[in-house]
Amino acid sequence: MTTEAATSQATLRQHGKSFHWAGFFLPRQQLDDGAQLYHVCRQVDDIADNATTMTERQRARRVLSCLQHKLCARSPAQQPFPTASNTADTDARLTETEQLLVDSLESDIVALFGHDSRCLQAMHDLVATMVMDLSPVLLEDEPALLGYAYGAAGTVGVMMCQLMGAREPNHSLAFAIDLGMAMQMTNIARDVLEDAQRGRVYVPQTWMNHPISADAIASGDAQARQQAWQAIGYLIERAEAYYASGWQGLAYLPPRTRLAIGVALRVYRQIGRRIQSLSADNYWSQRVVVPKAGKLQQSLMALPALINRSSAIHDAALHKPLEDQLSPYALDPETLDDNVSRDNAHGRKKFHSGKA
């Protein structure tokens, strides 16, 4: 039994305010589908985030492992996860409530994507990333950060690309992945304290002068927070290349959808710009949001997305650390390395940052 549209819309309205705002610009069916996907992803995320005790984490791992196996069974190309037991054993250890949750998630996923192998791969990778969050997280370097950003949100880009009717998916999916990764980097930059309180540090240790722990950030250690603050600034700048790629990829969406995703891109990116405008003390004392006036301003600045119709060239360097993770998609984007001369000849426009 699938989730009702009203329930999905309520989840989007409560937890995804930037996306809910952008949803006003979508056609109704795409809004309903996007909200249902958000509802599924939110539930999967909450399974990991709400597990605070050892017992709760064990239960969460069972639920997510069962969902992993069901996704594998839906797509013959998938390989079973080495960390999970077989489906029958996992099902046998679930409570009735847990089984109902898994069945509901599976029904929603199938209703959205059927047997689409790329979308099932993306959901498969998203769930695996949430399993990772059930243990303390301390990312070592930038490739680990990019891998996490892909798993947590680049995967959502893949699924949204299908729901939004993007053309030339072998090419356009690369840009959708980049936009999801950019948004996840913004999430990480915004939520360093909240994540540290859950035992997670996503900003890479190699960006620090000295290793820092989640406990040090959460407890207010001045040196740890200063190092984290400097890394946050770099993270926001690092996300820019992925936002720029995502902006280019809007050309592959239908016009109205192009505007809606352009609004979401600009509003979400503005979170990072607001962080950059703060002092360290102000950053640590609040959760940064974009107010309604700022969302309206960014929506107006997204209007050029409507005329963004030129075929785009993908920067292969953005996916270099992700080759193994992205190989199941068998993408074939036109890249900068292959098309520099043609790109110059056509004079492609770059993403205009637009000072807020």
Side-chain angles (χ1 to χ4, degrees):
M1 185 176 186
T2 58
T3 303
E4 293 183 0
T7 301
S8 297
Q9 292 283 357
T11 301
L12 182 64
R13 184 167 52 252
Q14 180 180 357
H15 297 288
K17 292 181 172 56
S18 296
F19 300 124
H20 183 257
W21 174 275
F24 286 115
F25 300 91
L26 282 173
R28 183 68 198 192
Q29 186 58 55
Q30 290 186 337
L31 174 59
D32 287 346
D33 289 344
Q36 189 173 14
L37 175 59
Y38 184 91
H39 181 73
V40 169
C41 294
R42 187 76 210 184
Q43 286 182 289
V44 171
D45 190 48
D46 285 347
I47 289 169
D49 282 352
N50 294 339
T52 57
T53 67
M54 181 63 71
T55 299
E56 288 171 344
R57 285 192 288 271
Q58 290 172 342
R59 289 174 178 168
R61 195 177 297 274
R62 287 199 301 269
V63 169
L64 294 176
S65 293
C66 183
L67 182 58
Q68 286 175 332
H69 279 293
K70 288 182 178 293
L71 292 172
C72 286
R74 292 272 175 188
S75 179
Q78 296 280 10
Q79 295 299 316
F81 286 83
T83 55
S85 58
N86 67 61
T87 307
D89 289 344
T90 305
D91 286 352
R93 291 184 286 127
L94 296 181
T95 66
E96 182 178 356
T97 300
E98 291 166 347
Q99 188 64 60
L100 287 172
L101 174 58
V102 170
D103 291 345
S104 175
L105 288 169
E106 183 186 18
S107 294
D108 284 346
I109 293 166
V110 172
L112 286 169
F113 306 119
H115 292 278
D116 184 283
S117 61
R118 281 174 166 167
C119 291
L120 292 177
Q121 175 71 48
M123 186 61 75
H124 170 286
D125 290 350
L126 172 66
V127 174
T129 304
M130 295 306 102
V131 171
M132 171 181 159
D133 277 345
L134 290 171
S135 302
V137 177
L138 197 68
L139 297 186
E140 179 61 27
D141 52 25
E142 186 171 307
L145 165 70
L146 296 176
Y148 182 86
Y150 156 72
T155 52
V156 180
V158 172
M159 294 182 278
M160 283 292 289
C161 204
Q162 199 273 348
L163 294 178
M164 299 297 107
R167 59 185 174 86
E168 301 179 39
N170 286 350
H171 182 54
S172 59
L173 276 180
F175 301 96
I177 290 168
D178 291 342
L179 178 54
M181 290 176 63
M183 290 178 166
Q184 183 61 31
M185 285 189 256
T186 297
N187 278 342
I188 292 170
R190 181 193 61 197
D191 298 336
V192 170
L193 179 56
E194 181 181 327
D195 290 330
Q197 291 166 343
R198 291 190 169 110
R200 306 169 188 165
V201 180
Y202 297 112
V203 285
Q205 293 294 302
T206 53
W207 290 1
M208 318 289 181
N209 294 328
H210 306 285
I212 62 172
S213 67
D215 286 343
I217 295 173
S219 65
D221 179 89
Q223 186 179 30
R225 287 197 175 185
Q226 178 58 28
Q227 288 197 72
W229 173 243
Q230 292 173 349
I232 289 164
Y234 182 68
L235 176 59
I236 293 168
E237 290 301 323
R238 189 71 183 89
E240 283 296 292
Y242 290 87
Y243 274 120
S245 179
W247 179 265
Q248 285 187 302
L250 298 180
Y252 296 94
L253 295 171
R256 186 172 169 185
T257 307
R258 193 184 308 150
L259 175 61
I261 303 303
V263 168
L265 182 156
R266 292 210 64 101
V267 170
Y268 225 77
R269 179 174 172 269
Q270 186 64 13
I271 294 171
R273 301 189 74 119
R274 288 180 68 84
I275 291 172
Q276 290 176 313
S277 73
L278 298 174
S279 67
D281 288 343
N282 284 338
Y283 168 80
W284 293 112
S285 66
Q286 63 179 289
R287 190 175 195 267
V288 178
V289 299
V290 178
K292 186 171 290 187
K295 289 176 181 174
L296 179 58
Q297 181 186 40
Q298 293 303 314
S299 299
L300 293 173
M301 294 176 73
L303 287 174
L306 284 171
I307 58 173
N308 181 22
R309 300 175 184 175
S310 301
S311 295
I313 306 299
H314 188 259
D315 184 353
L318 298 177
H319 289 178
K320 191 67 176 174
L322 304 169
E323 288 178 346
D324 290 342
Q325 287 170 285
L326 300 185
S327 62
Y329 297 116
L331 301 179
D332 187 27
E334 297 178 20
T335 65
L336 285 171
D337 291 341
D338 297 334
N339 296 277
V340 169
S341 60
R342 188 175 69 178
D343 190 36
N344 291 336
H346 284 278
R348 300 199 192 287
K349 296 181 179 179
K350 293 182 179 179
F351 172 58
H352 186 268
S353 60
K355 295 287 185 181

